[in-house]
Amino acid sequence: MTEQIATIFWKDFLVGLRRKATFAAMMMFALTTMAALSLSMRGAVVENNFLAALLWIVIFFATSAGISGTFDDEQAAGTLSTLKIYAAPQAILFGKMLFTLASLIALTIFLLPTFLILFDCSAGNIFLLITTVLAGVIGFSAAGTLTAALTTSASVKGGLFPILLFPVTLPIFLPTISLTESAFNSETFSAELLIILLSFDAILLVASSILFDYLD
């Protein structure tokens, strides 16, 4: 199955290179949102807990803008059922999930330093910040890929996707915001929160794997 996962990932990667609109939508949404908020604050000092929440709100909506169409190519061509014949459902899910994760990692590589510069914020514990962001986007990738599969045939997918994604990812927001604040403040972080975050990532991965088998 590893070969099938790699093949599906590579297919989506090549399609993404040819059609850069999805990644461009995520980048432009994140940049426009951060620039507008930064300008509206006019250099005011902002508490780190607010900045941590703001960072994850931007990541969430940028994710929503970019990964809702994960299965659009197969839906448009009517080939999703055929694809399931030639590849295991788990291979399809994890191949697309890996591509989504790679896209979100690329997004955060651009977004994170830009956010720190625009909001004049420093990361006192850069290792904790990177770990938190990576754990958060893994959860978003798992939840987002499954939600995209659920909304593939929806006529109002653009509005439905974030509505379904938010309650699923809400348990990710709570620990990531607290851990990100600790990283900004150079505080001793709560190991329990990091364990909770990683545990919820694992739950999302397992739940996505189980539920995807029942999707047509």
Side-chain angles (χ1 to χ4, degrees):
M1 190 171 69
T2 302
E3 184 178 348
Q4 292 180 342
I5 293 174
T7 301
I8 292 169
F9 170 83
W10 186 244
K11 174 189 77 71
D12 282 4
F13 179 76
L14 293 177
V15 171
L17 287 179
R18 291 198 300 268
R19 298 184 329 188
K20 303 176 181 66
T22 298
F23 190 70
M26 291 194 295
M27 296 275 281
M28 289 307 300
F29 177 88
L31 181 59
T32 303
T33 303
M34 290 189 298
L37 290 171
S38 178
L39 290 172
S40 68
M41 291 176 182
R42 300 177 183 177
V45 177
V46 182
E47 295 292 334
N48 283 338
N49 58 347
F50 177 79
L51 289 176
L54 183 60
L55 172 63
W56 283 101
I57 290 171
V58 172
I59 292 175
F60 172 81
F61 283 106
T63 298
S64 299
I67 67 175
S68 61
T70 302
F71 291 88
D72 278 359
D73 289 333
E74 287 78 9
Q75 175 66 16
T79 58
L80 184 56
S81 298
T82 305
L83 184 61
K84 287 183 177 181
I85 295 174
Y86 292 97
Q90 304 301 311
I92 300 171
L93 173 68
F94 287 110
K96 288 187 171 292
M97 194 181 294
L98 281 176
F99 175 72
T100 299
L101 177 60
S103 299
L104 294 184
I105 290 174
L107 171 70
T108 54
I109 289 173
F110 158 79
L111 187 152
L112 203 52
T114 306
F115 182 91
L116 296 176
I117 292 170
L118 287 177
F119 292 96
D120 192 22
C121 177
S122 60
N125 189 337
I126 191 66
F127 175 77
L128 175 60
L129 181 60
I130 292 173
T131 302
T132 302
V133 170
L134 181 59
V137 297
I138 288 173
F140 281 175
S141 299
T145 304
L146 181 63
T147 305
L150 288 170
T151 58
T152 297
S153 301
S155 57
V156 288
K157 176 171 53 181
L160 184 62
F161 184 83
I163 293 173
L164 293 178
L165 182 63
F166 179 72
V168 177
T169 55
L170 184 59
I172 294 176
F173 275 101
L174 304 179
T176 52
I177 290 173
S178 181
L179 289 168
T180 302
E181 181 186 358
S182 297
F184 287 163
N185 291 332
S186 301
E187 297 175 343
T188 301
F189 68 94
S190 170
E192 290 80 3
L193 283 177
L194 187 57
I195 292 172
I196 290 171
L197 176 58
L198 294 174
S199 298
F200 193 72
D201 283 350
I203 291 170
L204 281 174
L205 289 169
V206 173
S208 298
S209 176
I210 294 171
L211 293 175
F212 190 77
D213 286 335
Y214 298 95
L215 298 180
D216 294 328

